[in-house]
Amino acid sequence: MAAALRTFGRREILKGALAAPLYALLSGTVAKGSQESGEKGMRDLPLRYFGSAARAEWLGENRKLREAVLKDCSCVTPEIGMNWAAIQPTRDTLEFGSLDALAVFARKHGLAMHGHTLIWDQTIPAWAQADMSKGDADWSLVGRYLAAAVSRYPSVPQWNVVNEPIDTEHPDGLKRSAVYDAFGPEYIGMALDEVRRHAPKAKLIINEYSLEYANPVDKARRNRLVRLLEGLLSEGRPLDGLGMQAHLDLGKGPMDQKAISAFLREVVGMGLDIYVTELDVKERDFRPSRAARDRLVADEARRFLDVALAEPAVKGVVTWGMSDDGSWLVPDEADLRASGVAPGARTLNRGLPYDRDMRPKPMYSAIRDALAEVRAA
Ligand code: G3I
């Protein structure tokens, strides 16, 4: 664990920084709050923040998207740019082009950039997985990457250090991955320690999904997560908060508001902050009118936010994108079939605040109202 870190050379860093022409794309002046509606956005809310996942390329290309981000967001989370595989595609290559562009955009417009995501089983580069699987793995392989990524962005206020560590299918409730297999369950605490060395003041968080519904799986996940957080704190690991992804799903049955509330209380009781990090809503039934679908989505978001924001330790809400066009959520084929949608028709999941033409939908108002109605503790 205490293995010496080899620092990256200057040339390696510069190669990454200069790789993408995104600085140019993002260097234009953009008026703040210039949406046609003239409505006040969600930026600068007094008690909680609002933000969105973002990609520098899309902000550069899409003026309406950029304007919405500037009107509504006080922070952005890199949607895909800050994955280990994207940053370090080979052992000796560092690619920060897209991420640097987002950081420049954020700094220029006074937005925070959140750190997402450092260790996630789905984004460990192939070369690192191969190396770790050889046995007798050296932590410096992970430490070197964490040091490079974290120290490059000293103004990031919160780092998602370990993403999605829970898997209740396994006896110990932790997801198997190359990092788990190489270092055991200790990898989570080791990663927190490592990141703290390079980010002395940032909030360090564990980020998790499927915690909201009244079913045995979500219940088991909440319970296991509470035990994980307690364990890390009892070991003295530098953990500051929990990220609740909040990928809501209209096919998962009733939301368990009571259980969410009790879960949040338990987490707060440990002295941790809570952040809603990836809010969106998956649709299942495409038969109703668009207006009716939008209502269902907005109501589900509001149900969640009402219970989450009632807890003062929930510091803010980030949606996993602004517009349905570009959402990672795409309708399941089976749901489309069951809804009688013709095969091949392009149907978007309408689970984000803006539609594909960047018109705000009822979900936008639901989030704005929920945030605006928060009272001071
Ligand atoms: O850019 C390449 C393209 O060149 C290639 O042709 C194509 C072929 O698959 O892949 C493209 O990359 C994809 C990338 O998104 C850009 O669209 C990756 O395959 C795809 O895996 C990647 O998915 C992202 C995923 O994280 C993994 O990084 C999603 O957009 C992103 O929304 C998703 O976000 C995650 C959070 O980080 C963690 N929580 C769950 C959430 C949803 O999965």
Side-chain angles (χ1 to χ4, degrees):
M1 177 173 164
L5 300 182
R6 184 177 83 78
T7 49
F8 287 96
R10 197 177 166 72
R11 250 183 67 228
E12 287 168 297
I13 302 262
L14 279 176
K15 182 170 183 265
L18 296 178
L22 287 162
Y23 284 111
L25 264 180
L26 295 176
S27 62
T29 310
V30 181
K32 193 171 154 186
S34 59
Q35 274 260 319
E36 280 162 24
S37 74
E39 259 192 66
K40 203 170 176 304
M42 294 191 275
R43 194 163 173 176
D44 304 325
L45 293 163
L47 297 172
R48 315 289 170 92
Y49 64 75
F50 175 79
S52 170
R55 302 187 190 195
E57 293 80 356
W58 293 356
L59 290 174
E61 287 159 14
N62 185 335
R63 179 181 57 82
K64 286 184 179 175
L65 173 66
R66 199 166 57 227
E67 288 180 354
V69 165
L70 293 176
K71 184 179 82 137
D72 291 321
C73 298
S74 51
C75 57
V76 284
T77 302
E79 186 187 355
I80 53 170
M82 199 183 266
N83 287 327
W84 188 356
I87 290 179
Q88 200 179 2
T90 72
R91 183 191 308 276
D92 296 314
T93 320
L94 284 174
E95 304 274 352
F96 287 110
S98 156
L99 210 44
D100 280 354
L102 190 63
V104 167
F105 171 83
R107 189 168 54 235
K108 184 172 170 198
H109 296 288
L111 279 66
M113 183 173 87
H114 289 177
H116 172 97
T117 175
L118 291 171
I119 306 279
W120 184 22
D121 59 289
Q122 290 189 28
T123 54
I124 301 172
W127 65 266
Q129 294 191 39
D131 230 63
M132 285 190 269
S133 70
K134 283 182 192 148
D136 199 21
D138 184 350
W139 177 256
S140 68
L141 175 152
V142 183
R144 185 168 169 255
Y145 146 68
L146 292 176
V150 173
S151 55
R152 190 172 184 87
Y153 302 104
S155 56
V156 163
Q158 64 172 250
W159 285 98
N160 169 5
V161 178
V162 179
N163 194 45
E164 304 175 4
I166 301 293
D167 182 352
T168 52
E169 298 280 297
H170 288 284
D172 71 354
L174 295 179
K175 198 188 287 170
R176 298 302 184 262
S177 66
V179 187
Y180 180 101
D181 293 343
F183 306 103
E186 286 291 292
Y187 86 89
I188 301 174
M190 290 161 78
L192 288 164
D193 286 344
E194 187 75 60
V195 173
R196 174 58 79 227
R197 280 195 271 282
H198 308 288
K201 297 207 181 103
K203 301 283 188 188
L204 307 191
I205 72 172
I206 303 280
N207 197 44
E208 195 47 270
Y209 69 96
S210 269
L211 304 165
E212 298 85 13
Y213 288 90
N215 64 57
V217 174
D218 281 27
K219 183 176 178 193
R221 294 176 61 80
R222 287 189 290 271
N223 290 339
R224 183 61 188 94
L225 184 54
V226 164
R227 284 201 287 121
L228 172 66
L229 302 177
E230 280 169 350
L232 291 165
L233 291 171
S234 72
E235 288 168 14
R237 304 294 191 173
L239 176 67
D240 302 297
L242 168 69
M244 217 176 158
Q245 292 187 4
H247 291 296
L248 307 180
D249 187 333
L250 293 174
K252 281 182 84 174
M255 189 180 290
D256 197 336
Q257 286 182 302
K258 257 179 140 172
I260 296 174
S261 188
F263 168 73
L264 295 178
R265 286 273 79 210
E266 267 193 284
V267 175
V268 174
M270 297 177 212
L272 296 175
D273 287 338
I274 300 166
Y275 310 92
V276 177
T277 51
E278 306 185 18
L279 177 68
D280 55 17
V281 182
K282 185 164 174 67
E283 290 187 276
R284 297 292 179 170
D285 186 355
F286 298 86
R287 288 169 305 176
S289 68
R290 208 169 263 187
R293 284 168 52 197
D294 287 352
R295 195 65 262 155
L296 289 171
V297 163
D299 289 348
E300 189 76 344
R302 183 71 204 244
R303 250 189 298 282
F304 173 72
L305 291 175
D306 278 348
V307 64
L309 294 173
E311 180 51 68
V314 175
K315 303 293 180 194
V317 175
V318 168
T319 50
W320 207 238
M322 295 291 267
S323 156
D324 298 331
D325 194 17
S327 169
W328 75 289
L329 289 173
V330 289
D332 288 358
E333 285 297 327
D335 293 333
L336 290 176
R337 260 199 314 277
S339 301
V341 176
R346 189 173 178 236
T347 307
L348 293 185
N349 187 87
R350 296 175 67 85
L352 284 172
Y354 286 89
D355 74 6
R356 62 189 299 176
D357 299 314
M358 293 308 298
R359 283 184 299 244
K361 296 182 303 167
M363 184 181 179
Y364 179 92
S365 315
I367 298 172
R368 187 196 52 204
D369 294 351
L371 286 165
E373 287 166 22
V374 168
R375 299 268 164 270

